[in-house]
Amino acid sequence: MLNFREEAVKLLKSLIEELTEEEISSLIEVPPSYEMGDYAFPVFRLAKVFRKAPPAIAEELVGKFEESPYFEKIENKGPYVNFFINKKKLTEVTLEEVKDKQDKYGSSDMGKGKTVIVEYSSPNIAKPFHIGHIRTTVIGNALYKIYSFLGYDTVAINHLGDYGTQFGMLISAIKKWGNLEEIEKDPINELLKLYVRFNAEAEEDEALRDEARYWFKELEEGNQEAYELWKWIREISLKEFNKVYDMLNIKFDSYAGESFYSDKMPAVIEELKEKNLLKESDGAYVVDLEEYGMPPALIIKSDGSTLYTTRDIAAAFYRKKTYDFYKNIYVVGAQQNLHFKSWIKIIELMGYDWANDCIHVNFGTVSLEDGTLSTRKGRVVFLEDVLNTAIKNTLEIINERNPNLENKEEVAKQVGIGAVIFQELFNQRIKDYVFSWDRTLSFDGETGPYVQYTHARISSLLDRGQFNEEDKVNYDLLSSEEEINIIRLLYNFPKVIIDAMEKNEPYIITRHLVEIAKAYNKFYNSCPIIIEDVELKKARLMLSYATKIVLKTGLGLLGIEAPERM
Ligand code: ARG
């Protein structure tokens, strides 16, 4: 697609010997309002060469530009050269491109041949999949889709927490008090109960701890009974988690969790030893990170067992070898900042510069309006229940607003779940936020239902107006401010996606979609569309159609569906 910014760079370059195209490009700014143009070039850097005051330089440049088909005017405002895009050209270029590319508009092959791993969700086996897991799950899925859309070879990994001493406790507890049939009926709750009971009884009876250690060791050494129980716990837990993944329409390419690396740790430990990075400390082995302002990283406990950190190091090596990644992304909460900083540092100290391609994409916490979430206090809110409530509430709203809607149940699912995802992806990752039902499910304001509703509204409008994609459109007719505002947003959509990818921030897309929906509704309310004037009607329908495509693609990148009717 025609890149107006690059055209501005070329024009500037033709007059400025002293700076390279890259330098010019990096200096160009986007002014805060369109009255000041679409792009502005500050001339301060030229003051030395031109030996003039900046405003005079800007004025001189402006006087020298050749006529350009891409800009309707180039002016100077003080020390800036301001470029105003030719709106007719912008309209034509944008709408033709959307029409031509359809659901590929905004996609790219910039990632061709590069593999990006997105590790996300990664719940712990035998533990509830609660609302706290929504963030990693939803942010990770969006990033996975964004990278794929930009042409990267993507791998979605669910690094299940399926290993560690707690499995020793679970195995002991099941052997003592467990009833397999009961557990199978309600796996997570029953396993959680057993876990809690085991811990409570172990308070009284130290021997239980030894028993748990014994079973974990047996598990590590391949004891058949222990292995079978562990495998069964993993399977029934995964079955529960998959209910949520199905609702969210999420799939993983790999479920290689912590246990997968159990036989890959010795080699790592060996290499750490060879490179003199392991230090003994009270029978345990650590890597000293004092020089980097971090506490020592525990690699082997004094009883010989390995740790979360050890498995993460082994996993990173395995992934490098298996996928030769360009980026290896971990979508994990900010509580684990130190954990990631420290093991990534260890890989760097081992002499591998790909350590820098391991990226911790962190995020803040989510809490409920009536207090925080805490597993310990037993106030677990299951994610599945949250999604089901969202669907139920949405169905009620639909029954009020549009009782005759076809496929009500299906739409309620798309909108209810979409609302939760949208809300989740509305803010910068690192911000903590409070989950609010009212805000999530509102049909007006900056919400998922609002954007979906705009999409559905356009869909029925196109039917009513008998829109035909093949119609030739006179783009000159789309010149009102309302129309141009939408077109600018549609034109910027591809860049917004790249921006979201570079910062690993899906919210950049979410916000852009809200802007598009707002701009469209403003247009809808002030410019009649299905009108006598056939040419104008065609043009406005085409604009609506392009808006619909972009909204749908954008929602899709966030993992949200776009129903045709609402
Ligand atoms: N299972 C962990 C938890 O629930 C998250 C795993 C994060 N991924 C990793 N490679 N350490 O806290």
Side-chain angles (χ1 to χ4, degrees), residues 56-73:
I57 300 173
E59 199 179 327
E60 181 183 331
L61 286 175
V62 163
K64 284 196 199 155
F65 285 115
E66 279 172 34
E67 277 285 305
S68 160
Y70 307 119
F71 298 100
E72 57 196 23
K73 61 181 178 186

PDB file of all heavy atoms in Angstrom, residues 56-73:
ATOM      1  N   ALA A  56      12.954  30.012   9.718  1.00  0.00           N
ATOM      2  CA  ALA A  56      13.345  30.455   8.372  1.00  0.00           C
ATOM      3  C   ALA A  56      13.727  29.259   7.504  1.00  0.00           C
ATOM      4  O   ALA A  56      13.447  29.235   6.297  1.00  0.00           O
ATOM      5  CB  ALA A  56      14.509  31.438   8.463  1.00  0.00           C
ATOM      6  N   ILE A  57      14.351  28.272   8.107  1.00  0.00           N
ATOM      7  CA  ILE A  57      14.718  27.068   7.352  1.00  0.00           C
ATOM      8  C   ILE A  57      13.450  26.355   6.869  1.00  0.00           C
ATOM      9  O   ILE A  57      13.329  25.977   5.705  1.00  0.00           O
ATOM     10  CB  ILE A  57      15.541  26.098   8.235  1.00  0.00           C
ATOM     11  CG1 ILE A  57      16.821  26.776   8.711  1.00  0.00           C
ATOM     12  CG2 ILE A  57      15.863  24.822   7.457  1.00  0.00           C
ATOM     13  CD1 ILE A  57      17.600  25.945   9.726  1.00  0.00           C
ATOM     14  N   ALA A  58      12.500  26.199   7.804  1.00  0.00           N
ATOM     15  CA  ALA A  58      11.249  25.524   7.441  1.00  0.00           C
ATOM     16  C   ALA A  58      10.581  26.266   6.293  1.00  0.00           C
ATOM     17  O   ALA A  58      10.090  25.654   5.336  1.00  0.00           O
ATOM     18  CB  ALA A  58      10.327  25.451   8.658  1.00  0.00           C
ATOM     19  N   GLU A  59      10.590  27.585   6.372  1.00  0.00           N
ATOM     20  CA  GLU A  59       9.946  28.381   5.332  1.00  0.00           C
ATOM     21  C   GLU A  59      10.653  28.194   3.993  1.00  0.00           C
ATOM     22  O   GLU A  59      10.012  28.022   2.955  1.00  0.00           O
ATOM     23  CB  GLU A  59       9.956  29.847   5.753  1.00  0.00           C
ATOM     24  CG  GLU A  59       8.935  30.680   5.008  1.00  0.00           C
ATOM     25  CD  GLU A  59       8.961  32.134   5.478  1.00  0.00           C
ATOM     26  OE1 GLU A  59       9.246  32.369   6.689  1.00  0.00           O
ATOM     27  OE2 GLU A  59       8.715  33.006   4.630  1.00  0.00           O
ATOM     28  N   GLU A  60      11.972  28.173   4.036  1.00  0.00           N
ATOM     29  CA  GLU A  60      12.734  28.002   2.799  1.00  0.00           C
ATOM     30  C   GLU A  60      12.420  26.649   2.162  1.00  0.00           C
ATOM     31  O   GLU A  60      12.182  26.552   0.968  1.00  0.00           O
ATOM     32  CB  GLU A  60      14.234  28.118   3.102  1.00  0.00           C
ATOM     33  CG  GLU A  60      15.097  27.971   1.865  1.00  0.00           C
ATOM     34  CD  GLU A  60      16.594  28.028   2.194  1.00  0.00           C
ATOM     35  OE1 GLU A  60      16.954  28.693   3.184  1.00  0.00           O
ATOM     36  OE2 GLU A  60      17.388  27.406   1.453  1.00  0.00           O
ATOM     37  N   LEU A  61      12.405  25.598   2.992  1.00  0.00           N
ATOM     38  CA  LEU A  61      12.114  24.257   2.461  1.00  0.00           C
ATOM     39  C   LEU A  61      10.740  24.234   1.791  1.00  0.00           C
ATOM     40  O   LEU A  61      10.585  23.768   0.665  1.00  0.00           O
ATOM     41  CB  LEU A  61      12.146  23.218   3.586  1.00  0.00           C
ATOM     42  CG  LEU A  61      13.521  22.819   4.131  1.00  0.00           C
ATOM     43  CD1 LEU A  61      13.360  21.879   5.315  1.00  0.00           C
ATOM     44  CD2 LEU A  61      14.369  22.149   3.043  1.00  0.00           C
ATOM     45  N   VAL A  62       9.759  24.755   2.511  1.00  0.00           N
ATOM     46  CA  VAL A  62       8.387  24.723   2.004  1.00  0.00           C
ATOM     47  C   VAL A  62       8.285  25.378   0.625  1.00  0.00           C
ATOM     48  O   VAL A  62       7.552  24.901  -0.249  1.00  0.00           O
ATOM     49  CB  VAL A  62       7.442  25.400   3.037  1.00  0.00           C
ATOM     50  CG1 VAL A  62       6.119  25.754   2.408  1.00  0.00           C
ATOM     51  CG2 VAL A  62       7.244  24.475   4.233  1.00  0.00           C
ATOM     52  N   GLY A  63       9.051  26.447   0.431  1.00  0.00           N
ATOM     53  CA  GLY A  63       9.012  27.132  -0.856  1.00  0.00           C
ATOM     54  C   GLY A  63       9.602  26.315  -1.995  1.00  0.00           C
ATOM     55  O   GLY A  63       9.349  26.589  -3.170  1.00  0.00           O
ATOM     56  N   LYS A  64      10.367  25.274  -1.666  1.00  0.00           N
ATOM     57  CA  LYS A  64      11.107  24.572  -2.718  1.00  0.00           C
ATOM     58  C   LYS A  64      10.498  23.252  -3.161  1.00  0.00           C
ATOM     59  O   LYS A  64      10.932  22.656  -4.132  1.00  0.00           O
ATOM     60  CB  LYS A  64      12.526  24.288  -2.207  1.00  0.00           C
ATOM     61  CG  LYS A  64      13.420  25.514  -2.204  1.00  0.00           C
ATOM     62  CD  LYS A  64      14.855  25.047  -2.075  1.00  0.00           C
ATOM     63  CE  LYS A  64      15.797  26.133  -1.606  1.00  0.00           C
ATOM     64  NZ  LYS A  64      16.957  25.556  -0.939  1.00  0.00           N
ATOM     65  N   PHE A  65       9.534  22.715  -2.414  1.00  0.00           N
ATOM     66  CA  PHE A  65       8.978  21.395  -2.771  1.00  0.00           C
ATOM     67  C   PHE A  65       8.322  21.418  -4.136  1.00  0.00           C
ATOM     68  O   PHE A  65       7.656  22.385  -4.512  1.00  0.00           O
ATOM     69  CB  PHE A  65       7.937  20.952  -1.740  1.00  0.00           C
ATOM     70  CG  PHE A  65       8.531  20.499  -0.444  1.00  0.00           C
ATOM     71  CD1 PHE A  65       8.300  21.214   0.736  1.00  0.00           C
ATOM     72  CD2 PHE A  65       9.324  19.361  -0.400  1.00  0.00           C
ATOM     73  CE1 PHE A  65       8.854  20.792   1.936  1.00  0.00           C
ATOM     74  CE2 PHE A  65       9.879  18.941   0.799  1.00  0.00           C
ATOM     75  CZ  PHE A  65       9.646  19.659   1.969  1.00  0.00           C
ATOM     76  N   GLU A  66       8.511  20.315  -4.849  1.00  0.00           N
ATOM     77  CA  GLU A  66       7.771  20.178  -6.105  1.00  0.00           C
ATOM     78  C   GLU A  66       6.341  19.786  -5.793  1.00  0.00           C
ATOM     79  O   GLU A  66       6.064  19.245  -4.737  1.00  0.00           O
ATOM     80  CB  GLU A  66       8.394  19.058  -6.942  1.00  0.00           C
ATOM     81  CG  GLU A  66       9.632  19.490  -7.701  1.00  0.00           C
ATOM     82  CD  GLU A  66      10.307  18.291  -8.339  1.00  0.00           C
ATOM     83  OE1 GLU A  66       9.563  17.363  -8.743  1.00  0.00           O
ATOM     84  OE2 GLU A  66      11.543  18.287  -8.413  1.00  0.00           O
ATOM     85  N   GLU A  67       5.462  20.015  -6.748  1.00  0.00           N
ATOM     86  CA  GLU A  67       4.077  19.540  -6.622  1.00  0.00           C
ATOM     87  C   GLU A  67       4.094  18.046  -6.335  1.00  0.00           C
ATOM     88  O   GLU A  67       4.863  17.306  -6.938  1.00  0.00           O
ATOM     89  CB  GLU A  67       3.344  19.733  -7.951  1.00  0.00           C
ATOM     90  CG  GLU A  67       2.789  21.105  -8.182  1.00  0.00           C
ATOM     91  CD  GLU A  67       1.552  21.354  -7.350  1.00  0.00           C
ATOM     92  OE1 GLU A  67       0.603  20.555  -7.439  1.00  0.00           O
ATOM     93  OE2 GLU A  67       1.557  22.348  -6.586  1.00  0.00           O
ATOM     94  N   SER A  68       3.262  17.591  -5.416  1.00  0.00           N
ATOM     95  CA  SER A  68       3.208  16.155  -5.169  1.00  0.00           C
ATOM     96  C   SER A  68       1.764  15.682  -5.225  1.00  0.00           C
ATOM     97  O   SER A  68       0.869  16.349  -4.698  1.00  0.00           O
ATOM     98  CB  SER A  68       3.791  15.850  -3.791  1.00  0.00           C
ATOM     99  OG  SER A  68       3.341  14.598  -3.364  1.00  0.00           O
ATOM    100  N   PRO A  69       1.535  14.548  -5.866  1.00  0.00           N
ATOM    101  CA  PRO A  69       0.161  14.034  -5.907  1.00  0.00           C
ATOM    102  C   PRO A  69      -0.291  13.534  -4.533  1.00  0.00           C
ATOM    103  O   PRO A  69      -1.474  13.303  -4.328  1.00  0.00           O
ATOM    104  CB  PRO A  69       0.243  12.862  -6.886  1.00  0.00           C
ATOM    105  CG  PRO A  69       1.667  12.438  -6.879  1.00  0.00           C
ATOM    106  CD  PRO A  69       2.475  13.667  -6.594  1.00  0.00           C
ATOM    107  N   TYR A  70       0.656  13.370  -3.611  1.00  0.00           N
ATOM    108  CA  TYR A  70       0.298  12.728  -2.334  1.00  0.00           C
ATOM    109  C   TYR A  70      -0.078  13.711  -1.235  1.00  0.00           C
ATOM    110  O   TYR A  70      -0.644  13.331  -0.242  1.00  0.00           O
ATOM    111  CB  TYR A  70       1.455  11.837  -1.861  1.00  0.00           C
ATOM    112  CG  TYR A  70       1.880  10.869  -2.923  1.00  0.00           C
ATOM    113  CD1 TYR A  70       3.168  10.883  -3.453  1.00  0.00           C
ATOM    114  CD2 TYR A  70       0.960   9.949  -3.428  1.00  0.00           C
ATOM    115  CE1 TYR A  70       3.540  10.003  -4.452  1.00  0.00           C
ATOM    116  CE2 TYR A  70       1.322   9.070  -4.425  1.00  0.00           C
ATOM    117  CZ  TYR A  70       2.615   9.103  -4.936  1.00  0.00           C
ATOM    118  OH  TYR A  70       2.970   8.241  -5.929  1.00  0.00           O
ATOM    119  N   PHE A  71       0.307  14.966  -1.455  1.00  0.00           N
ATOM    120  CA  PHE A  71       0.012  15.944  -0.401  1.00  0.00           C
ATOM    121  C   PHE A  71      -0.742  17.125  -0.985  1.00  0.00           C
ATOM    122  O   PHE A  71      -0.366  17.648  -2.023  1.00  0.00           O
ATOM    123  CB  PHE A  71       1.317  16.410   0.262  1.00  0.00           C
ATOM    124  CG  PHE A  71       2.036  15.251   0.921  1.00  0.00           C
ATOM    125  CD1 PHE A  71       3.113  14.637   0.289  1.00  0.00           C
ATOM    126  CD2 PHE A  71       1.592  14.751   2.125  1.00  0.00           C
ATOM    127  CE1 PHE A  71       3.745  13.542   0.875  1.00  0.00           C
ATOM    128  CE2 PHE A  71       2.215  13.654   2.709  1.00  0.00           C
ATOM    129  CZ  PHE A  71       3.285  13.043   2.081  1.00  0.00           C
ATOM    130  N   GLU A  72      -1.819  17.519  -0.297  1.00  0.00           N
ATOM    131  CA  GLU A  72      -2.574  18.658  -0.849  1.00  0.00           C
ATOM    132  C   GLU A  72      -1.943  19.976  -0.443  1.00  0.00           C
ATOM    133  O   GLU A  72      -2.103  20.970  -1.123  1.00  0.00           O
ATOM    134  CB  GLU A  72      -4.047  18.584  -0.462  1.00  0.00           C
ATOM    135  CG  GLU A  72      -4.306  18.527   1.014  1.00  0.00           C
ATOM    136  CD  GLU A  72      -5.728  18.076   1.338  1.00  0.00           C
ATOM    137  OE1 GLU A  72      -6.356  17.409   0.492  1.00  0.00           O
ATOM    138  OE2 GLU A  72      -6.191  18.402   2.437  1.00  0.00           O
ATOM    139  N   LYS A  73      -1.240  19.975   0.679  1.00  0.00           N
ATOM    140  CA  LYS A  73      -0.416  21.164   0.957  1.00  0.00           C
ATOM    141  C   LYS A  73       0.735  20.811   1.884  1.00  0.00           C
ATOM    142  O   LYS A  73       0.651  19.845   2.655  1.00  0.00           O
ATOM    143  CB  LYS A  73      -1.248  22.330   1.499  1.00  0.00           C
ATOM    144  CG  LYS A  73      -1.942  22.051   2.788  1.00  0.00           C
ATOM    145  CD  LYS A  73      -2.761  23.265   3.229  1.00  0.00           C
ATOM    146  CE  LYS A  73      -3.465  22.863   4.523  1.00  0.00           C
ATOM    147  NZ  LYS A  73      -4.385  23.707   5.099  1.00  0.00           N
TER     148      LYS A  73
END
